[in-house]
């Protein structure tokens, strides 16, 4: 999937693509800015398909592309588009070259598909994406038992700083503890353990959505630590 693109010279583009085989790669699309180029529509953000490239001494060059999904629906929805740009930018920041990024690519694709579904709130899609991305990258919070003692029975609060649940016996030094509705906790457990194909199959109440937002705001501040331009623009639109 094309994550980003920028003009180079008079007619070319530099494209960042997330691939199954090589993780995130940069490639040049020669002549892609010419109106009659076969690559003119293939190297736009959101384009998903098969790219044929050859490897030069210092970079890849795209020879051809067969696009199976342009996600054209997002182009007519400015809010949906900026959610999409945020997911692309987040993925670009989080993925690496020469790394197995199959799960992140699958998550990104299914997330963009969810954006075109009017029955799932965009805000919920965002929180699911963020939590699953942390999970894929080994940064999932512990939402099944106490981080300190492993207890599963006592009442617990959620601490982003500690990285998960902390029970009533162990929370003395916790300063950022949040009491979560059982449905919020269940939603987080489902997101962390569900297959990507089944992620976007549920909805939540406003209370749960708010709590998920509070949790993910703190989690991304700690574990991502970057402000994304697309998110800043999005927040002015909603």
């Amino acid at each position: 999937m094309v994550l980003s693109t920028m003009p180079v010279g008079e007619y070319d583009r530099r494209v960042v693509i997330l691939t199954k085989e090589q993780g995130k790669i940069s490639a040049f699309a020669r002549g892609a800015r010419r109106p009659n180029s076969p690559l003119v529509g293939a190297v736009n953000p959101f384009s998903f398909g098969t790219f044929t490239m050859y490897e030069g001494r210092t970079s890849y060059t795209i020879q051809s592309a067969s696009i199976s999904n342009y996600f054209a629906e997002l182009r007519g929805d400015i809010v949906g588009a900026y959610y999409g740009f945020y997911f692309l930018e987040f993925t670009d920041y989080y993925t690496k070259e020469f790394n197995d990024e199959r799960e992140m690519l699958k998550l990104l694709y299914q997330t963009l598909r969810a954006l075109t579904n009017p029955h799932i709130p965009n805000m919920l899609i965002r929180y699911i994406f963020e939590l699953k991305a942390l999970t894929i990258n080994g940064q999932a919070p512990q939402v099944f038992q106490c981080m300190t003692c492993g207890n599963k029975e006592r009442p617990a609060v959620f601490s982003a700083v500690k990285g998960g649940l902390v029970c009533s016996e162990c929370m003395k030094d916790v300063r950022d503890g949040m009491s979560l509705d059982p449905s919020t906790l269940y939603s987080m457990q489902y997101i962390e353990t569900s297959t990507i194909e089944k992620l976007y199959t549920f909805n939540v109440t406003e209370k749960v959505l708010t709590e998920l937002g509070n949790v993910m705001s703190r989690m991304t501040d700690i574990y991502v630590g970057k402000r994304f331009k697309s998110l800043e623009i999005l927040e002015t639109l909603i």
Side-chain angles (χ1 to χ4, degrees):
M1 181 174 290
V2 175
L3 301 180
S4 66
T5 179
M6 64 178 293
V8 175
E10 193 171 356
Y11 297 112
D12 303 339
R13 286 192 180 277
R14 177 181 173 272
V15 186
V16 178
I17 303 173
L18 186 63
T19 72
K20 290 191 295 185
E21 297 86 354
Q22 297 290 327
K24 185 175 68 176
I25 65 172
S26 296
F28 286 97
R30 307 292 182 189
R33 294 166 66 201
R34 296 181 186 273
N36 61 346
S37 169
L39 296 176
V40 68
V43 292
N44 291 323
F46 305 124
S47 294
F48 179 85
T50 301
F51 294 83
T52 302
M53 313 179 211
Y54 66 84
E55 187 175 4
R57 284 185 296 177
T58 58
S59 65
Y60 288 91
T61 297
I62 300 173
Q63 290 181 300
S64 63
S66 175
I67 305 302
S68 59
N69 197 335
Y70 291 93
F71 288 99
E73 303 96 326
L74 297 179
R75 304 184 196 285
D77 175 8
I78 188 168
V79 173
Y82 271 100
Y83 270 104
F85 284 128
Y86 168 58
F87 300 142
L88 294 183
E89 198 176 354
F90 190 107
T91 302
D92 193 353
Y93 177 75
Y94 235 57
T95 52
K96 301 177 179 65
E97 296 179 356
F98 310 115
N99 197 38
D100 185 349
E101 301 289 1
R102 293 171 190 268
E103 290 297 288
M104 277 301 295
L105 179 59
K106 190 189 300 184
L107 174 63
L108 179 60
Y109 182 79
Q110 294 296 341
T111 301
L112 294 180
R113 284 190 63 193
L115 276 180
T116 66
N117 183 346
H119 303 296
I120 307 174
N122 289 340
M123 199 74 77
L124 177 59
I125 294 170
R126 171 186 166 181
Y127 302 147
I128 292 173
F129 171 82
E130 290 171 343
L131 181 53
K132 195 64 172 182
L134 291 179
T135 302
I136 291 171
N137 283 274
Q139 296 172 313
Q142 171 56 263
V143 291
F144 291 91
Q145 61 187 37
C146 176
M147 287 289 296
T148 303
C149 69
N151 182 272
K152 299 180 181 180
E153 307 301 328
R154 286 190 288 267
V157 295
F158 182 88
S159 167
V161 171
K162 294 287 187 181
L165 296 176
V166 183
C167 78
S168 55
E169 292 293 316
C170 302
M171 64 172 66
K172 295 173 186 176
D173 62 339
V174 173
R175 298 187 177 182
D176 68 329
M178 290 184 282
S179 296
L180 298 180
D181 186 279
S183 295
T184 305
L185 191 58
Y186 176 78
S187 297
M188 294 178 69
Q189 292 170 344
Y190 180 82
I191 294 165
E192 290 189 15
T193 57
S194 171
T195 62
I196 290 171
E197 290 81 2
K198 294 183 179 179
L199 271 181
Y200 299 104
T201 57
F202 69 98
N203 217 321
V204 297
T205 64
E206 283 296 322
K207 179 182 180 182
V208 171
L209 187 64
T210 299
E211 289 188 355
L212 284 174
N214 292 336
V215 168
M216 293 318 303
S217 176
R218 296 187 190 183
M219 291 295 295
T220 53
D221 281 348
I222 293 171
Y223 292 99
V224 181
K226 175 180 169 62
R227 288 295 294 172
F228 297 100
K229 290 182 181 179
S230 50
L231 184 57
E232 291 176 353
I233 296 171
L234 178 62
E235 288 172 347
T236 69
L237 299 174
I238 57 177

